[in-house]
Amino acid sequence: MIRSKVFASALFTAAALLGAGTAPASAQSSAAAVSCYGGAKTLTYHYQAAAKEYGTYTTSSRCNDINMRLITDEPGVYLDACVVFVDHTTKCNNGDAYTTHGTEWGTVATDVKDGTDFVLRVHAYDSDAQNVTFQIAY
């Protein structure tokens, strides 16, 4: 009985030591992505001629960037988006340019400081974008 307790204790210690190392880089970046995208907001865009603004939102430590993706099952539907840092300007980031977004996560603004207020400005890529559900993560 004592021998099996000692053996079990040794196995438990070895298992704990093996698990005490740091996770591989792929697991760390995957965990960061889950943390960032896990806090995503779901919004819906309804087609209109002018750009539509969503927000004001405030960036957090959860994400380093402001990210967007469409969650629609309509092939060929895209939205154009940009970020306006409302405490500093009324124009879009990136030289007042929009970027086009589909169903994969894409970056609308990179390396954004935590606590930065922004609105997301969105317009249809073309008239196929009638009612499009999308997510933003920041």
Side-chain angles (χ1 to χ4, degrees):
M1 178 76 154
I2 292 175
R3 179 182 271 182
S4 61
K5 282 185 180 180
V6 170
F7 182 69
S9 176
L11 282 177
F12 179 76
T13 302
L17 288 174
L18 286 173
T22 33
S26 61
Q28 290 174 359
S29 62
S30 176
V34 168
S35 173
C36 175
Y37 301 144
K41 288 196 181 306
T42 302
L43 305 163
T44 302
Y45 171 82
H46 301 286
Y47 183 84
Q48 61 187 47
K52 177 167 176 49
E53 291 188 350
Y54 297 85
T56 300
Y57 302 111
T58 304
T59 58
S60 68
S61 59
R62 200 172 52 245
C63 299
N64 192 40
D65 304 324
I66 299 170
N67 307 284
M68 178 179 169
R69 75 169 177 171
L70 278 56
I71 50 173
T72 182
D73 58 359
E74 297 178 51
V77 173
Y78 302 95
L79 291 176
D80 291 333
C82 69
V83 170
V84 178
F85 297 110
V86 295
D87 294 339
H88 307 286
T89 185
T90 59
K91 293 185 176 188
C92 287
N93 66 317
N94 199 24
D96 206 25
Y98 287 81
T99 53
T100 302
H101 297 272
T103 56
E104 298 294 320
W105 282 108
T107 303
V108 185
T110 58
D111 297 325
V112 182
K113 185 177 177 181
D114 293 351
T116 301
D117 294 329
F118 71 96
V119 298
L120 182 72
R121 192 175 286 167
V122 176
H123 72 76
Y125 176 76
D126 60 22
S127 60
D128 289 339
Q130 292 295 314
N131 296 302
V132 182
T133 303
F134 66 96
Q135 291 183 311
I136 59 171
Y138 52 90

